[in-house]
Amino acid sequence: MTPGASAALLASLAPATTAVRMSLHVLAAAVWVGGQITVAGLLGTVRGFGEGGPRAVGRAFGRLEWPAYAVLIATGVWNVVASRPSTQGGAWNAVLGVKIAVALAAGVAAWLHQRSRTRAGLAAYGALTGVASVAALVLGVVLAG
Ligand code: HEM
């Protein structure tokens, strides 16, 4: 490969920092969103393990979920800085605003879900967490273009 061709190849690859930033953000999103879907799918089976099964699995999931959320917030802020919103259009900034609102709503709903002592509260806040998390994911893909 000629030096020119390898330089062109390297230039076409995402800088290493972008690769690290976006990979951490997407990995954390996979744990936060994918984890919720997986636990929801396993809930029927977990209920068969006895009265305390769902709460024990929920607590174990929480130990994975909250560090993932912290990584999402940290890499999210890094994404915003790297994307330089002042150079982006009005629509991009509007989508970013909505995305940050739903990402924060997802965190608050998950915290309220975790503290719920009624089945209705668990179900309502759990559903809100799921919907807000998937919305943040879709808006992220829209932002990334
Ligand atoms: C529930 C929380 C969140 C989820 C599930 C999530 C998910 C995602 C996903 C899947 C992408 C697209 C990656 C790609 O297509 O390569 C993305 C991009 C992005 N996210 Fe998030 N995210 C979350 C929270 C946040 C927060 C809190 C912020 C800002 C403070 C943020 C800022 C961004 C930005 C600016 C991009 C575009 C990055 C670029 O194109 O360079 N995200 N997000």
Side-chain angles (χ1 to χ4, degrees), residues 18 21-22 25-26 28-30 32-33 69 72-83 92 96 99-100 102-104 106-107 132-145:
T18 304
R21 171 172 58 84
M22 292 301 286
H25 199 65
V26 171
W32 179 263
V33 183
Y69 190 71
L72 271 168
I73 300 294
T75 54
V77 171
W78 188 6
N79 283 347
V80 173
V81 173
S83 305
W92 192 95
L96 178 65
K99 176 184 164 117
I100 293 174
V102 291
L104 295 176
S133 299
V134 171
L137 184 150
V138 172
L139 292 171
V141 172
V142 171
L143 285 174

Side-chain angles (χ1 to χ4, degrees), residues 1 46 52 75 132:
M1 189 182 284
V46 170
T75 54

Side-chain angles (χ1 to χ4, degrees), residues 20-134:
V20 170
R21 171 172 58 84
M22 292 301 286
S23 299
L24 284 174
H25 199 65
V26 171
L27 192 60
V31 173
W32 179 263
V33 183
Q36 289 175 47
I37 296 169
T38 305
V39 168
L42 296 176
L43 211 50
T45 307
V46 170
R47 283 212 179 91
F49 299 162
E51 184 67 25
R55 190 157 285 282
V57 167
R59 286 216 181 95
F61 180 44
R63 288 193 287 274
L64 279 174
E65 193 74 342
W66 290 113
Y69 190 71
V71 173
L72 271 168
I73 300 294
T75 54
V77 171
W78 188 6
N79 283 347
V80 173
V81 173
S83 305
R84 294 183 296 130
S86 59
T87 66
Q88 307 282 351
W92 192 95
N93 280 291
V95 171
L96 178 65
V98 176
K99 176 184 164 117
I100 293 174
V102 291
L104 295 176
V108 172
W111 184 72
L112 291 168
H113 167 79
Q114 204 173 290
R115 296 173 60 82
S116 294
R117 291 292 169 261
T118 64
R119 283 188 83 121
L122 280 170
Y125 289 123
L128 193 57
T129 306
V131 170
S133 299
V134 171

Side-chain angles (χ1 to χ4, degrees), residues 1-16:
M1 189 182 284
T2 64
S6 55
L9 175 65
L10 276 180
S12 70
L13 293 175

